[in-house]
Amino acid sequence: SSLKKLIIPYPGAENLVNSPSALYVWTVTNTITNTAKVRVMDENDNSNWNESANTFRIRAGIEVTQPNGNVNPALTEKWLVGSTQTIKWTITGTMSLVKLGYTVNSGADQFIADDVNAGDGVAGVPWLIPDAIDSRVRVKVINKADITVLDTSNFDFYIQGQLDFNP
């Protein structure tokens, strides 16, 4: 079977005996799978058990931390065309490679880099800011192995032009 077996001992499970709707808060492990199930078993009677009817996914997570914009546009990042800025993110779980992209005005994704080491996000990856002036820009980080795992800046940030005046 391709199902992952995960045993979570629950100290005090005897307290669940008389509770028809027991709740167990589970810290999800780093066992990335598309075929997880939950099984509840009586530790004292292995023939007394039940299992979830359907499988579910345990997947990694991504969170963009820079640029992340601000709910108040006056406080958001303002990056200049031609400058080099740093894109940062954190990951939860295991993933190898990510793709970096951005959108302008909720348009189509523009890709910055492919095959970036997922662990590089904490220190950050440099980005040469393109000539894409707009006040509605967001960065996106996508797990290459599972494109449904992604995150985008929470709020818009700015790409601004710069006027150099030398009299």
Side-chain angles (χ1 to χ4, degrees), residues 6-167:
L6 177 65
I7 299 174
I8 305 171
Y10 183 50
E14 64 278 356
N15 296 331
L16 300 176
V17 171
N18 295 319
S19 175
S21 60
L23 172 68
Y24 176 69
V25 177
W26 173 39
T27 300
V28 179
T29 65
N30 189 21
T31 307
I32 307 299
T33 181
N34 289 324
T35 57
K37 284 191 170 192
V38 172
R39 178 180 287 177
V40 178
M41 183 182 327
D42 183 337
E43 188 175 53
N44 297 318
D45 179 4
N46 290 344
S47 67
N48 185 11
W49 61 273
N50 201 345
E51 183 174 270
S52 55
N54 298 310
T55 60
F56 62 93
R57 296 174 65 195
I58 299 175
R59 58 189 189 164
I62 301 172
E63 182 179 3
V64 172
T65 57
Q66 181 179 306
N68 217 13
N70 192 295
V71 68
N72 179 348
L75 300 176
T76 196
E77 295 97 334
K78 294 172 179 67
W79 290 358
L80 295 176
V81 171
S83 67
T84 299
Q85 302 294 334
T86 304
I87 299 171
K88 293 183 178 183
W89 66 91
T90 58
I91 60 170
T92 305
T94 301
M95 74 179 71
S96 298
L97 299 172
V98 296
K99 292 175 16 175
L100 305 179
Y102 69 99
T103 61
V104 175
N105 194 13
S106 300
D109 290 345
Q110 306 296 316
F111 286 97
I112 299 166
D114 212 4
D115 295 332
V116 176
N117 182 330
D120 290 349
V122 174
V125 172
W127 177 32
L128 178 61
I129 304 304
D131 188 357
I133 297 170
D134 204 288
S135 61
R136 294 171 290 185
V137 183
R138 294 187 185 207
V139 162
K140 183 181 284 188
V141 180
I142 305 165
N143 181 355
K144 288 265 309 207
D146 181 354
I147 61 171
T148 66
V149 176
L150 59 95
D151 191 39
T152 304
S153 305
N154 289 346
F155 301 98
D156 296 333
F157 66 95
Y158 295 84
I159 293 180
Q160 299 183 151
Q162 179 176 324
L163 177 62
D164 290 329
F165 181 71
N166 295 316

